[in-house]
Amino acid sequence: MHPGSPWFFDPFVLPFSIGVLWLFIAIVWKWSKWFAGLPREDKALIRHNFFTARTFRAIKEAFLECLIHRKIWKTNPMLGFMHMSLALGWFLLIVVGKLETSAYIRDAVNPPHVHVFFRYFFPEEPAAYIRHFNYALLMDCLLIFVLCGVALAWGKRLYSRMMGMKRTTRHTPFDRIALTTLWLIFPLRYLAESITCGVHDSGSFFTGGTGDLLASVLPGGVLSAMEYPAWWAYSIVLGLFFVAMPYSRYMHIFTEIPLIFLRAYKVKSKPEGSTFDNFQIQACSRCGICLDPCPIAADLDINNIQPAYFLRDRRYGHLTAQVADTCLMCGRCAQACPVGIDQATLRLSSRVAFARQSSFYEAPRYEFLASTADRSEGTGRVGYFAGCMTQLTPSITRAMEKIFAAARVDVWWADKNGGVCCGRPMRLSGNLPAAERMERYNTELFRKHGITTLVTGCPICYKTFTQEYKELQKMGIRVLHHTQYIAELIAGGRLKTSTLAASYAYHDPCELRGIYSEPRYVLSHVATLTNAESHEKDRVHCCGGSLANLTLDTAAQKKIGTTVVHNLLATGAETIVTSCPQCKKSLQLSAGNDQVHVVDIAEVVARAV
C-alpha cells in the first residue's frame, strides 16, 4: 500500500485483527446481556448515580486496581509489581504506541495493527522525528518493564513460594492457551523488533542493541529471512490470546472495570441471584491469593472449593452442591481478594439455586411460626436475644443475667424460655423462605414489646439482625453484640469490675469481623490479655464450627479448631476467651481435654463483677 496512506497492511496482521474483532464482539455481547438482565432497581441505581461524583471515584479506583493493582501491592509487593508491570506496562505500550504512530504519519485515524506492528511498517525513523521526541527509547523502556513482569510470572509458576504463595490455581484448557500465549507475546515482540532493528540498523538501546548483536553473529541473509516469520509469530500469539480471553480467566481484564463502576453505583449481589453476579464471577482472575488463607485448604488439604474454583465452576456451569456447601464463610478469602468479590453472597445464591431443587424448600413444617406462643419475659426497653447456640451454652446467659443485674438494667428476655431462631442457619442452607418467615416472626415480636436496644450473645444472630432484618433500623432499634454493650456499660461507669488474676488469649469470631476494639477494651478492665498479634483480628483462623459449613464432619471441624487452640496457647495464656457460643464449643472440643479452659467474654466479666 502507498506509504502515505494510514491503512498499512500485510497478511501477517490478520491473526491479530481477527482476534481483536472476536474479543470486541464477545465483550459487547456479554456486557449487553448482563446489563439488560439487571433488576429494575439496579438499573435505577445506575441512572441515579451515573452523573455524580461516584463516577469519578470509580474511574480513580479502576486506574488504581486494574492498572496499578494497589491491593495486591499491599498483600505482596513483588506480586503487585508483577501484575502492575504486565497491566500498566501493556496499557502504556498501547497509548505511547498510538501517539508514536499518529505523530509519525500525522494522522490520528489508523487501524490498531499499525501501532502494534509499528516497527515493521516503519523500521527506520528520520532524524527530525527522533529530535522531536525519541519514542523508540520510551517504547524500549516500557518493553523492558513488561518483560520483567513476564519473567516474574514464569518464576511464580515454577516456584510460587518466591511470591509468598504456597498454592497456585489449576487452569482450564482455555486458561492454558491464554496463559501460554500471554507469556510469549512480549518475548516475541522483543525478538521481532530486534530482528527488524538489526536488519535496518535502527532502534533504541534495547531492541536496537539486541539487533546489532544479532547482526554481528548472524549472516545478513539469515537475519533478513527471520524477520517476516518473527512478525507472523508475534501476530499469531496475540490473536490466539484475544480469541481465548473471553473463555479464560483473563476475561477479568475487561470485566473488573464495569464491576468497579456498578459497585460505586451501589449495585450489589442478592441471595436470589441476578445478572450482576456475572460481572463478579468473571472479574475473578484466579490469581490464587484466596487459596492460602482458607482454613479448609491449610488444615484439611481440600483444594477444590476455594473461591478461585467455586467461581470457575459456577462460570462454566460445572458447580456441584459439594463445592457450594463446603465453606466456612469465615471471610478470610474475601478479605484477601484484591478484586473485592462478594464471595459469601455468591455462594449463598448458589446454595439457594440448589435448595430450590429440594423438597425441603418452603417446607410446610415452618408454618407453625404463625401460631408460636410469645414466651418472652420482662418489660425493659433493652432486649436480650440469646439465640440457639447461646441457649445450648446456658453459662453465657447466666453470666449476662449477673452483668445486667450488676448494672441495674431492666431487661426484656426474648427467648429465655424458648423462642424462634434468628433464621441464619436456614439462610446459609439456601432456604430463604424459611429464613424470611423466622425474620418476620422475630421482627413483630420486637415491635410488640417496644424495645429500643437489642443485645445478643451470639455473633451469628448479631450479623443476621444487622444485615438481614431491614425493619429493625426503620423501627429505630439499636442492635449490639454483648461485647459492645458490656463495653458501653464499663465506659459509662454503670458496671464496676475488679481485675482477675489470670491471663487470657482472645479469639475473634469470624462472624464478628470488624468488632475488634470493644472486646479488648472489656478484657483490659478485667484481666491480662496476652499478645496473639499474628493470629487475631482479620488474621484470625476460623474455629471450624461455622454454621455455614454444610458438609464437613466433626473430625474435620476439630482439626481446624486445633490450629486455633495451638496458636492461642502458644502466647502463654492460661485460658482462651472468645465471644461466640459456637466458637466456645468448637474450641473446647478441639482442645480435647479439660486442662485447656475456653470461656466466653461474658463469663470472664461476670467473675469480675
Side-chain angles (χ1 to χ4, degrees):
M1 183 162 283
H2 192 276
S5 168
W7 301 97
F8 294 90
F9 178 78
D10 190 279
F12 81 81
V13 308
L14 285 174
F16 162 79
S17 301
I18 292 170
V20 169
L21 180 61
W22 184 273
L23 177 61
F24 177 78
I25 293 172
I27 291 172
V28 171
W29 169 252
K30 286 175 180 283
W31 284 12
S32 299
K33 185 170 60 173
W34 299 342
F35 275 110
L38 287 174
R40 183 177 301 175
E41 60 269 23
D42 287 348
K43 292 177 181 177
L45 285 172
I46 296 172
R47 290 193 300 270
H48 178 74
N49 290 291
F50 187 81
F51 294 104
T52 67
R54 292 180 177 274
T55 295
F56 295 101
R57 288 197 292 268
I59 292 172
K60 177 183 177 181
E61 185 181 353
F63 175 78
L64 292 174
E65 299 304 339
C66 300
L67 295 178
I68 305 298
H69 292 282
R70 176 182 55 178
K71 291 178 183 175
I72 300 182
W73 269 97
K74 291 179 180 179
T75 302
N76 185 317
M78 186 177 291
L79 199 62
F81 176 79
M82 183 194 81
H83 284 273
M84 183 188 73
S85 60
L86 289 169
L88 181 62
W90 197 349
F91 175 77
L92 291 176
L93 279 173
I94 294 171
V95 173
V96 176
K98 185 68 176 175
L99 293 174
E100 179 184 35
T101 304
S102 299
Y104 191 84
I105 63 177
R106 300 185 182 283
D107 192 334
V109 180
N110 47 74
H113 71 260
V114 179
H115 74 260
V116 173
F117 306 108
F118 177 84
R119 191 63 55 203
Y120 175 83
F121 292 113
F122 307 102
E124 300 175 3
E125 298 176 345
Y129 173 64
I130 295 174
R131 284 196 301 270
H132 175 68
F133 189 88
N134 197 340
Y135 279 104
L137 174 63
L138 181 55
M139 292 294 281
D140 270 10
C141 291
L142 291 173
L143 184 57
I144 292 173
F145 183 46
V146 176
L147 286 172
C148 287
V150 174
L152 288 173
W154 290 349
K156 173 176 171 284
R157 182 53 53 180
L158 293 172
Y159 187 64
S160 62
R161 290 179 184 271
M162 176 183 72
M163 297 287 189
M165 299 175 68
K166 297 177 183 178
R167 300 169 182 83
T168 56
T169 50
R170 296 184 295 275
H171 298 307
T172 66
F174 275 105
D175 286 343
R176 295 186 184 280
I177 294 172
L179 180 64
T180 303
T181 53
L182 178 61
W183 284 354
L184 291 174
I185 286 171
F186 296 101
L188 285 175
R189 174 174 181 152
Y190 169 48
L191 178 63
E193 291 190 350
S194 297
I195 292 173
T196 295
C197 290
V199 170
H200 297 276
D201 191 23
S202 62
S204 189
F205 74 100
F206 186 47
T207 52
T210 306
D212 292 342
L213 178 62
L214 292 173
S216 67
V217 299
L218 295 173
V222 174
L223 194 62
S224 296
M226 293 171 60
E227 181 181 12
Y228 197 54
W231 286 102
W232 262 105
Y234 175 44
S235 179
I236 289 171
V237 296
L238 272 172
L240 283 174
F241 178 71
F242 292 142
V243 168
M245 185 186 287
Y247 314 102
S248 74
R249 66 182 197 159
Y250 293 101
M251 187 60 185
H252 81 91
I253 296 171
F254 293 103
T255 310
E256 186 177 354
I257 297 170
L259 174 62
I260 288 172
F261 280 83
L262 289 172
R263 283 198 304 229
Y265 301 150
K266 301 182 181 181
V267 178
K268 299 178 181 179
S269 285
K270 302 170 178 59
E272 59 273 17
S274 75
T275 56
F276 173 67
D277 294 349
N278 292 305
F279 287 101
Q280 296 216 80
I281 293 167
Q282 298 207 25
C284 173
S285 67
R286 297 203 281 281
C287 61
I289 293 176
C290 64
L291 302 181
D292 289 343
C294 177
I296 293 177
D299 295 332
L300 305 180
D301 200 30
I302 297 175
N303 297 297
N304 67 334
I305 57 89
Q306 289 71 34
Y309 303 121
F310 161 73
L311 296 173
R312 177 200 65 188
D313 292 351
R314 179 164 167 177
R315 174 181 175 180
Y316 297 120
H318 300 152
L319 185 65
T320 63
Q322 181 74 17
V323 171
D325 293 347
T326 307
C327 180
L328 301 169
M329 290 195 188
C330 62
R332 296 194 73 193
C333 57
Q335 178 101 16
C337 178
V339 183
I341 296 172
D342 185 359
Q343 309 284 356
T345 306
L346 287 173
R347 199 173 286 265
L348 178 57
S349 64
S350 296
R351 293 182 178 186
V352 170
F354 284 115
R356 282 174 175 157
Q357 304 170 18
S358 168
S359 60
F360 295 105
Y361 198 70
E362 295 191 80
R365 68 176 183 273
Y366 295 103
E367 294 293 350
F368 78 93
L369 293 172
S371 58
T372 298
D374 180 355
R375 299 179 182 178
S376 63
E377 65 176 58
T379 57
R381 290 292 175 261
V382 175
Y384 181 74
F385 188 94
C388 306
M389 297 312 302
T390 307
Q391 292 283 19
L392 296 173
T393 317
S395 58
I396 298 176
T397 301
R398 290 195 295 270
M400 287 304 299
E401 285 180 325
K402 186 175 181 181
I403 291 168
F404 283 131
R408 293 183 172 84
V409 177
D410 187 15
V411 183
W412 170 71
W413 303 89
D415 55 351
K416 191 174 184 179
N417 302 309
V420 173
C421 174
C422 68
R424 186 160 175 80
M426 297 309 301
R427 178 172 289 274
L428 289 173
S429 71
N431 197 331
L432 295 183
E436 290 165 357
R437 291 177 188 179
M438 295 176 180
E439 291 167 11
R440 288 196 296 270
Y441 173 86
N442 285 320
T443 299
E444 288 307 312
L445 186 67
F446 302 151
R447 191 195 309 275
K448 172 184 174 183
H449 289 276
I451 63 169
T452 57
T453 299
L454 179 63
V455 180
T456 178
C458 176
I460 300 167
C461 298
Y462 169 79
K463 190 171 185 177
T464 304
F465 290 144
T466 54
Q467 294 184 1
E468 309 301 339
Y469 282 58
K470 307 302 181 185
E471 288 296 315
L472 297 190
Q473 187 175 4
K474 297 178 183 178
M475 292 160 58
I477 297 177
R478 292 177 70 217
V479 180
L480 299 173
H481 183 257
H482 70 339
T483 54
Q484 297 172 303
Y485 188 71
I486 294 170
E488 286 189 2
L489 292 178
I490 294 175
R494 299 177 61 189
L495 186 66
K496 306 296 182 182
T497 61
S498 58
T499 302
L500 302 174
S503 61
Y504 295 88
Y506 181 67
H507 169 72
D508 291 280
C510 300
E511 301 280 17
L512 213 56
R513 185 172 294 275
I515 299 178
Y516 301 136
S517 60
E518 291 92 333
R520 287 166 176 78
Y521 173 82
V522 170
L523 289 171
S524 69
H525 281 75
V526 298
T528 300
L529 189 62
T530 61
N531 183 11
E533 185 175 345
S534 59
H535 303 290
E536 65 178 10
K537 299 181 180 178
D538 57 355
R539 296 179 294 277
V540 72
H541 203 77
C542 179
C543 71
S546 170
L547 295 180
N549 157 51
L550 305 181
T551 62
L552 300 177
D553 59 20
T554 303
Q557 296 175 40
K558 182 177 179 181
K559 190 172 183 179
I560 294 172
T562 300
T563 299
V564 179
V565 172
H566 173 79
N567 291 339
L568 294 179
L569 292 183
T571 65
E574 300 170 279
T575 303
I576 295 172
V577 60
T578 185
S579 49
C580 170
Q582 181 64 31
C583 291
K584 177 184 176 182
K585 293 175 74 69
S586 298
L587 296 179
Q588 191 65 69
L589 175 67
S590 298
N593 61 72
D594 295 333
Q595 302 302 314
V596 177
H597 298 290
V598 183
V599 297
D600 186 86
I601 192 170
E603 296 174 276
V604 177
V605 174
R607 292 174 192 168
V609 169

